[in-house]
Amino acid sequence: MQAFTRLDAKIAPLPLANIDTDQIIPKQFLKTVEREGLGRGLFYDFRFDENGKEKNDFVLNRPEYKGAGVLVAGDNFGCGSSREHAPWALMDFGISCVISTSFADIFYNNCFQNGLLPVVLKPEEVQDLMEEAKGGNHMVTVDLAAQTVVSPSGKTFSFQIDPSRKDKMLNGLDAIGETLQAAPSIDVFEGKRAISQPWLERA
């Protein structure tokens, strides 16, 4: 998993509450377990019409938001069914951070397991970011080490994050990477077990 330290990127506003995982990545794109390529299905029904043509009025299709790396959204982002494809699709599209007032628990947990940073800010702070993102300057800075978001106008908002999750994100550790940190101790344990309980080693 790629480490997340500091991100300087465009921010795109999506002022909708209760965006669920089927809206983030519709079910027809769940036939693969590969992470690459899922960006094409991100917000598919928002981005395209029934003929597969881009909707010019959707924020991520507008020229000024092309390449956005941060999304600021309404309450309860990521609700609905549990699908790890949702953070995969966001990241494959180029979005590395989502800011909201609240997230669905399963989606929130899945973000940390895949290197996508979910940031919870106060309602008035999210609204400020929404309004600034609609202006001419769309650049923000998300600093995980400092736990801050700097808006296009320079306002600084602080956010809270579990220290262990913060450490894993800063060091690019998913569940497997965290386990591999204990590899020497695991090797010692398995060596001792092979001597004391050799029957467990037999095929």
Side-chain angles (χ1 to χ4, degrees), residues 10-12 47-48 54-56 58-69 93 138:
K10 288 183 182 180
I11 185 170
R47 289 168 57 207
F48 303 98
E54 279 194 358
K55 298 178 181 178
N56 295 328
F58 182 63
V59 61
L60 295 178
N61 289 340
R62 291 166 56 183
E64 63 267 36
Y65 296 108
K66 291 286 186 180
F93 192 81
H138 307 118

Side-chain angles (χ1 to χ4, degrees), residues 10-81:
K10 288 183 182 180
I11 185 170
L14 187 61
L16 298 173
N18 303 311
I19 294 291
D20 64 40
T21 50
D22 190 58
Q23 292 171 310
I24 297 171
I25 181 73
K27 58 184 179 299
Q28 65 265 33
F29 297 99
L30 306 184
K31 299 175 183 178
T32 178
V33 293
E34 299 295 330
R35 304 186 186 198
E36 294 182 1
L38 286 173
R40 65 187 178 88
L42 180 70
F43 297 124
Y44 190 84
D45 294 330
F46 291 150
R47 289 168 57 207
F48 303 98
D49 63 20
E50 62 275 10
N51 297 313
K53 184 179 178 181
E54 279 194 358
K55 298 178 181 178
N56 295 328
D57 59 345
F58 182 63
V59 61
L60 295 178
N61 289 340
R62 291 166 56 183
E64 63 267 36
Y65 296 108
K66 291 286 186 180
V70 180
L71 185 70
V72 55
D75 303 336
N76 196 31
F77 188 86
C79 57
S81 64

Side-chain angles (χ1 to χ4, degrees), residues 6-9 70 139-143 148-152 155 157:
R6 171 183 164 134
L7 175 66
D8 297 293
V70 180
M139 296 300 296
V140 297
T141 295
V142 181
D143 191 325
T148 59
V149 176
V150 181
S151 76
K155 294 179 183 177
F157 306 121

Side-chain angles (χ1 to χ4, degrees), residues 156-181:
T156 299
F157 306 121
S158 298
F159 62 89
Q160 299 299 312
I161 185 172
D162 178 82
S164 63
R165 283 176 162 166
K166 176 181 177 179
D167 183 68
K168 291 173 190 175
M169 289 285 286
L170 287 171
N171 291 286
L173 296 174
D174 56 12
I176 294 174
E178 185 180 14
T179 300
L180 289 176
Q181 285 191 311

Side-chain angles (χ1 to χ4, degrees), residues 4 47 73 81-82 88 90 122 166:
F4 188 114
R47 289 168 57 207
S81 64
S82 170
W88 290 356
L90 285 159
K122 298 174 183 177
K166 176 181 177 179

